[in-house]
Amino acid sequence: MPVTRRDVLWSLGGGLAGAAVTPVPWKLLDDTAIWTQRRHALPVPPRGLVTFRPVACPLCPAGCALRVRCVGAQPVAVVGEARHPLGGGACALGLTLHHLAYHPLRLAGPAVRVNGRRESVTLDAAVERIAQAVEYARAGGQRVMVLDRRPGRVVSAAWRRLLAARPQGLYVTRPGEGETLAVLQGALAKPVALGLDLEGTRTLVSFGAPVLEGWGRPGRMLAARKGLRVVQVDAWRSPTAALADEWVSISPGGEGPLALALAHVVVRDQAAPFSEEVRRALAGFSPLRAEARTGVEPARIEALARALVRQSPAVAIGGGDPGAGPLPPDAERAIALLDVVLGSVGREGGFVARRPLPEAGTDAVGAPPTALEDVPAGSVGVLLLDAADDGRALPWPLLHRALASNAVVVSLSPFDGALAREAHLLVPAPAPLEAWDEVLPTADASVASYSVCAPVLQAPPGATDTVALVQRLAGALRVEVGKATHEERLRERAAAIQAAGRGRLVARAEGGYTEQAAADADALWEALVAGGCWIDEPQGVTPLEVRAPLPSTASLERWSQPEAAGSDLGLVAFAARGTAGTTPVSPLLTKLYQESDLRPSARTAALSREEAERRGLADRQPVRIESPAGVVHAELRIDPGLPPGRIALAAGPDPAALHPGTSTRAVGALPLAVAAADGTWRETRVRVGEA
């Protein structure tokens, strides 16, 4: 049944009333008492001048504006910039950003992994090893691949130039939050960048995207929420589903069929002309036939489709959950087709054209992006994992599939996280707050924007800036990628923005922000470093010619048939944005995952009461969960909001990050993930039993 605001208010009221009888406040008091009795065990705050430094959070694509309180040179607190022109605020991860430079999983310097143990090496030796591996791969006809999880940065341009100069170089990216927009952009007769006119949207249908808990620019969503009806299509009662105006519970993997069923009703009921090709594709997805694949009653599908037409402008969004990964490409095409059928492309309140961010002359030169699923299996001899993180899960088997048997894996992460543990060579980059960074437009942005983040902390000697590493590696390979430093490349991009002669500069001012003119590129740069933001001009809403993006014939045939019954459960993987990536969370956040139970941990699996009783399992019982990819152990929790036939398990955070020194034995959803040929793992089936 749909979840209403009343349900949420009741749950909040019950939570507040029950807080006094839970262990949460008493545990906090207990911890405080212990700490005050053992003050010598606490870090002593430094003495010095109190200053505030503007930064941007690099833990996910939102790049939320933050303000760091420093005592002397030491950051001691972080707050969100509530008045930022693109939307203010910060999540719990951003508020603990200053802890990460001191995280126990921090790597001290370059190292090689020998027999499972790390052995320190010099930076020169590490670069030489990488160069030798690259030459060996070239001689063997193997690929050299860089995985960039935050494309579009000046660091990305440096990688692309390096790879373009090498035979068989591969610059690889992963689908992100804006995958629906990317599909629509590819369907345009004249390709242009697209954004979402969220402020004019009346209805937003989210197919599993966490739009109310961390998606796009959260401050912007919060500002638009009052006039926006949100319908969450999800396989479990996620936090967004609980906060949405309506929750539509679907079977795992039912996103594509439901989108087609909604489009079927819209096309059937409207007099607007649609191509015969579209009508044929939708013919087998009447609400009655779609019920077997989606688990949604036909009347519910009919009502939702008519509401989308009545409460327009309406848009449908995919992109996936940070823990469950991207939706299958054909599911994204089905969602994009629903947007086309609804007339949401090229109109106010829908998807609108967005000018691209002005680039420096060298930024557009280099190897073209390649999707990970398009990399031939066993073809990669060297894999370099860029240090940037998008906060989304990435199971190791997806990468391992592309590697040759003798491949060399290089991790640039500052931390000894899950993917870094698979690497043969570690060359840690600076931690957050220790290096230059930049904030690019989010996938949903209706206009481009740009800001930079200067270092607050000095990086330790063992950390190497990624641009500097690319230049060192290029020198060892006798390749030219330019000599400009990271900061100089950012200055070049700011100069390109200034030369474009458009947009406005919103500069940091006392108590907030104010618009001002930048006399030249240097003035723009100084304003950006001081916490300002450049915001482009709206392009204006113009009609866009779009071809209908149709799913493949194979998917249409498979989705039109009932799913084969079986005893296995559908795995519902999930994670909060930023907790399933390669950057660890602060150990301070253990309270979210332990005593408070505000977030399920990766050691806790959820079943409905009906499903648990059918399998002879009880609440708080240790269970064993198995898939063709692996086995994990967890503690079972009974979740009345979880439909039968599925099991929910978090994909992060890594328990070793919350509790340094903890065994790195496989836990959570990712070791169970069965990767499909399209690079997704959302339809993984598992078995559960007593541990």
Side-chain angles (χ1 to χ4, degrees), residues 69-97:
R69 182 174 183 263
C70 299
V71 178
Q74 180 67 43
V76 296
V78 175
V79 296
E81 288 281 21
R83 300 183 182 180
H84 194 272
L86 297 179
C91 68
L93 300 182
L95 297 180
T96 56
L97 184 66

Side-chain angles (χ1 to χ4, degrees), residues 351-376:
F351 299 99
V352 296
R354 181 180 78 189
R355 289 186 177 92
L357 187 68
E359 294 181 338
T362 59
D363 287 352
V365 179
T370 300
L372 179 57
E373 57 271 21
D374 293 336
V375 178

Side-chain angles (χ1 to χ4, degrees), residues 211-520:
V211 294
L212 298 181
E213 53 177 315
W215 177 85
R217 190 88 182 191
R220 183 184 182 214
M221 175 62 73
L222 183 64
R225 178 70 176 100
K226 185 177 180 180
L228 181 67
R229 175 175 171 77
V230 176
V231 179
Q232 183 71 8
V233 176
D234 227 331
W236 69 300
R237 188 176 178 178
S238 63
T240 290
L243 294 170
D245 299 282
E246 182 179 354
W247 170 36
V248 179
S249 174
I250 62 165
S251 302
E255 294 87 356
L258 179 59
L260 294 179
L262 293 171
H264 174 102
V265 176
V266 175
V267 169
R268 184 197 67 195
D269 292 353
Q270 285 191 353
F274 294 99
S275 70
E276 190 59 32
E277 187 181 24
V278 169
R279 294 182 181 276
R280 281 198 306 268
L282 298 177
F285 293 92
S286 67
L288 185 60
R289 295 186 64 178
E291 182 181 14
R293 271 283 174 178
T294 64
V296 183
E297 301 87 348
R300 184 88 180 275
I301 297 176
E302 296 268 1
L304 178 56
R306 293 186 180 119
L308 294 179
V309 175
R310 185 173 62 253
Q311 298 167 353
S312 64
V315 297
I317 287 292
D321 178 273
L327 295 173
D330 275 334
E332 288 287 3
R333 294 187 189 102
I335 295 168
L337 177 60
L338 175 59
D339 284 309
V340 172
V341 166
L342 290 170
S344 302
V345 183
R347 64 167 296 181
E348 292 184 359
F351 299 99
V352 296
R354 181 180 78 189
R355 289 186 177 92
L357 187 68
E359 294 181 338
T362 59
D363 287 352
V365 179
T370 300
L372 179 57
E373 57 271 21
D374 293 336
V375 178
S379 65
V380 174
V382 179
L383 168 61
L384 295 111
L385 301 171
D386 182 74
D389 192 4
D390 61 357
R392 295 164 68 91
L394 179 59
W396 171 248
L398 286 180
L399 294 170
H400 187 264
R401 166 193 161 277
L403 300 181
S405 59
N406 59 344
V408 174
V409 180
V410 184
S411 171
L412 308 187
S413 172
F415 308 101
D416 192 17
L419 291 183
R421 296 184 201 119
E422 304 289 347
H424 306 95
L425 187 57
L426 306 167
V427 186
L433 301 184
E434 292 179 349
W436 287 96
D437 207 345
E438 55 190 322
V439 181
L440 304 175
T442 53
D444 66 304
S446 56
V447 295
S449 61
Y450 188 71
S451 57
V452 299
C453 176
V456 173
L457 290 167
Q458 183 175 357
T464 304
D465 179 83
T466 305
V467 169
L469 177 65
V470 174
Q471 291 170 334
R472 279 178 172 265
L473 182 56
L477 295 172
R478 298 177 178 84
V479 171
E480 179 58 44
V481 296
K483 298 181 179 179
T485 65
H486 199 158
E487 178 183 355
E488 290 168 346
R489 291 167 191 251
L490 295 176
R491 282 180 173 269
E492 290 172 1
R493 174 165 264 182
I497 291 174
Q498 176 70 11
R502 66 174 199 259
R504 58 194 176 99
L505 170 64
V506 184
R508 190 77 175 84
E510 187 66 32
Y513 294 82
T514 183
E515 286 194 32
Q516 70 177 45
D520 52 29

